[in-house]
Amino acid sequence: MNSPDAKRTVHIRTYGCQMNVYDSERMADALAESGYATVDTPDGADLVLLNTCHIREKAAEKVYSELGRLRALKAAAAAEGRTMTIGVAGCVAQAEGDEIMRRAPAVDLVVGPQSYQRLPELMRDVGRGERIVATDFAVAAKFGTLDRLVQRPAAVPGADRRYTAFLTVQEGCDKFCAFCVVPYTRGAEVSRPVAAIVAEATRLAETGVREITLLGQNVNAWRADGPDGRDWGLGRLLFRLAEIPGIDRLRYTTSHPNDMDDALIAAHRELDALMPYLHLPVQSGSDRILAAMNRRHRRTDYLGIIARVRSARPEIALAGDFIVGFPGESEDDFDDTLRIVGEVGYASAFSFKYSARPGTPAASLEQLPESVKSERLARLQAALDASQASFNAAQVGRTVDVLFERHGRHAGQIVGRSPWLAPVQVDGPASLIGAIHPVTITAAGPNSHFGTLADPPAKGIPSTTQREAAA
């Protein structure tokens, strides 16, 4: 039997998006209040939680495969007289709670993304021998508990120090794209209050965090009442967060084209703390397919937004998302997607074959052959790789500010990120970790840059004053 006086341990394995990473950290916070210490491996853990993603079919199947391995660990623990509890959290839990319980009898707990604040209570129920499915949509309750948790001391003695952090400001989606499960697994769009966001950002700054990435399924749909009594959008929120001492860099992800308003574009022009990087998914370059996807924008709308953002911040790097092989996609439709890649010139992108998600409108449509999807994906990725390589090559010779975050793989090497989110590796002293320092880019690989420490301060990113003078 587990000793009642022993420290209980939890291992949390995270799949999918940055919001899941953030949610896993908050789950660990909630469980810490009940005496659970986080460990890096499931071996010997009292509780194992899989925080899951439901966007891709294979991602869901990976969860069931992992549950098979955990079942063996649970049986081994029982043979040793120990109890291991297995839980599934996140979007697969929300979408397939009862199915998980049927397919994986070793699972004790299924908890959806809006219910993790109840974990201590749910674990008490599991301890009484119950198998629990908690998949309600209490977003307000989740945010309320989150706001309380961030008041706890954020710096843990002996813990690794972080200089970058995620911060959730919005959850859910009202767009109902035909391919997407998010409205069904995360619920309607809900925005977190300004005061709560500022409080968490302030706590992060107090622990040494210098860069914050704001998260949301549609982060630029965030709206809330500001302390001045006015309706605030994401642009105004970014200006407020930039006023917090110690916060030098801000980012946000992921955005929808329909929510790129004038105030947010103005923030890209006027706010130096907002990094020159925008992840703005388009999904397809074909108007016909965009309509079938229920994206609510046309290619000309999307390209118009890109033009306005680039006019506001000429050095901005663009990232995107693409789906190929959507039901009904013709070769001409796919050619439109290839053309938009050339027109935009992406610095990075995520691209996927369409996979039918149960319960979404597109799942009932006639599907394209896998061979067609695979062939188109290969061509698209070749075009995106070429676009990224062109962007990376253009950075060689530039001097840019890099926020150093950690040691590199080799002795004497430190690694940080450029304003465009690219990893940058240099030989330099460990004392620079946590600092922002200019680096001259000397070479660019497919996924990272290499450089040398430089002085004087970086000239690669013009200041607001310089940009205004140039205009």
Side-chain angles (χ1 to χ4, degrees):
M1 296 289 293
N2 296 21
S3 168
D5 299 322
K7 185 77 170 178
R8 290 175 294 182
T9 57
V10 57
H11 171 72
I12 304 176
R13 181 162 299 178
T14 307
Y15 301 81
C17 66
Q18 295 101 322
M19 188 168 285
N20 270 12
V21 173
Y22 181 87
D23 279 354
S24 290
E25 292 174 352
R26 302 291 77 78
M27 283 191 276
D29 287 343
L31 288 165
E33 291 195 330
S34 296
Y36 282 87
T38 303
V39 293
D40 295 331
T41 174
D43 299 308
D46 299 301
L47 169 63
V48 178
L49 280 172
L50 304 183
N51 191 10
T52 61
C53 173
H54 202 259
I55 295 299
R56 303 293 160 200
E57 182 177 9
K58 288 185 178 179
E61 288 305 317
K62 284 180 181 177
V63 172
Y64 287 108
S65 177
E66 182 63 22
L67 287 174
R69 288 189 284 270
L70 292 177
R71 180 181 60 189
L73 280 181
K74 184 173 185 175
E80 297 170 0
R82 295 185 296 105
T83 300
M84 173 188 279
T85 300
I86 298 176
V88 180
C91 292
V92 174
Q94 185 69 42
E96 303 183 21
D98 292 335
E99 177 69 3
I100 291 169
M101 287 300 202
R102 185 188 68 81
R103 287 182 58 176
V107 172
D108 305 288
L109 170 66
V110 172
V111 55
Q114 312 309 344
S115 301
Y116 71 65
Q117 76 281 357
R118 296 175 53 203
L119 274 170
E121 167 199 340
L122 296 172
M123 285 303 298
R124 287 192 292 272
D125 293 339
V126 170
R128 291 192 287 266
E130 300 180 43
R131 296 182 78 208
I132 303 295
V133 177
T135 53
D136 55 356
F137 269 114
V139 181
K142 172 179 176 176
F143 278 164
T145 300
L146 175 58
D147 298 339
R148 178 180 57 79
L149 285 172
V150 300
Q151 300 306 313
R152 298 169 61 241
V156 179
D160 291 336
R161 194 167 186 179
R162 295 184 303 161
Y163 301 100
T164 65
F166 296 129
L167 196 165
T168 289
V169 300
Q170 181 271 343
E171 286 215 20
C173 181
D174 296 342
K175 303 297 190 290
F176 287 92
C177 296
F179 54 80
C180 187
V181 299
V182 167
Y184 312 102
T185 59
R186 289 277 182 171
E189 291 176 356
V190 177
S191 295
R192 195 172 171 198
V194 174
I197 296 168
V198 172
E200 183 171 356
T202 301
R203 295 291 295 156
L204 290 170
E206 290 171 353
T207 69
V209 168
R210 303 192 66 179
E211 175 180 298
I212 291 176
T213 299
L214 306 184
L215 298 180
Q217 269 80 36
N218 281 312
V219 67
N220 57 339
W222 179 89
R223 303 202 74 82
D225 292 333
D228 57 3
R230 297 181 180 180
D231 180 45
W232 281 22
L234 188 65
R236 183 66 190 87
L237 177 65
L238 287 163
F239 273 96
R240 174 63 185 91
L241 295 177
E243 296 172 358
I244 297 173
I247 300 301
D248 298 299
R249 290 181 162 194
L250 294 166
R251 305 181 189 272
Y252 62 92
T253 194
T254 292
S255 304
H256 193 285
N258 289 8
D259 294 313
M260 286 298 299
D261 60 21
D262 292 341
L264 185 52
I265 293 174
H268 279 283
R269 179 178 63 250
E270 300 167 12
L271 188 58
D272 284 342
L274 180 55
M275 292 294 94
Y277 178 90
L278 174 62
H279 182 207
L280 192 64
V282 66
Q283 305 300 357
S284 173
S286 163
D287 282 344
R288 194 176 72 85
I289 296 302
L290 288 171
M293 289 178 168
N294 195 35
R295 287 290 289 171
R296 308 184 194 182
H297 64 82
R298 298 167 299 172
R299 65 178 286 125
T300 54
D301 300 325
Y302 182 84
L303 291 171
I305 293 167
I306 297 300
R308 290 169 60 207
V309 172
R310 279 192 164 138
S311 177
R313 197 78 179 262
E315 71 276 10
I316 200 162
L318 278 304
D321 290 355
F322 293 89
I323 294 173
V324 301
F326 188 81
E329 182 187 70
S330 68
E331 187 65 26
D332 287 343
D333 295 322
F334 178 67
D335 286 343
D336 285 341
T337 296
L338 291 179
R339 278 193 289 273
I340 208 168
V341 170
E343 291 174 75
V344 173
Y346 290 95
S348 62
F350 300 97
S351 54
F352 308 94
K353 292 187 291 185
Y354 171 76
S355 60
R357 308 314 297 133
T360 59
S364 62
L365 300 176
E366 184 178 352
Q367 306 296 306
L368 295 183
E370 283 297 313
S371 59
V372 173
K373 296 180 188 179
S374 297
E375 190 273 336
R376 288 179 184 171
L377 182 63
R379 280 193 282 156
L380 174 62
Q381 290 182 337
L384 291 170
D385 287 347
S387 181
Q388 181 174 345
S390 177
F391 177 86
N392 288 345
Q395 310 317 309
V396 176
R398 299 187 70 172
T399 299
V400 300
D401 284 335
V402 173
L403 170 57
F404 288 103
E405 302 174 39
R406 58 183 174 84
H407 294 277
R409 290 182 296 175
H410 307 295
Q413 186 182 71
I414 54 177
V415 181
R417 289 193 182 270
S418 76
W420 300 286
L421 201 58
V424 179
Q425 304 177 40
V426 306
D427 290 331
S431 59
L432 282 180
I433 295 176
I436 297 173
H437 193 87
V439 170
T440 299
I441 305 300
T442 57
N447 300 306
S448 62
H449 296 161
F450 304 88
T452 57
L453 298 176
D455 285 306
K459 298 182 177 64
I461 299 295
S463 68
T464 301
T465 303
Q466 290 172 320
R467 286 199 298 272
E468 290 173 348

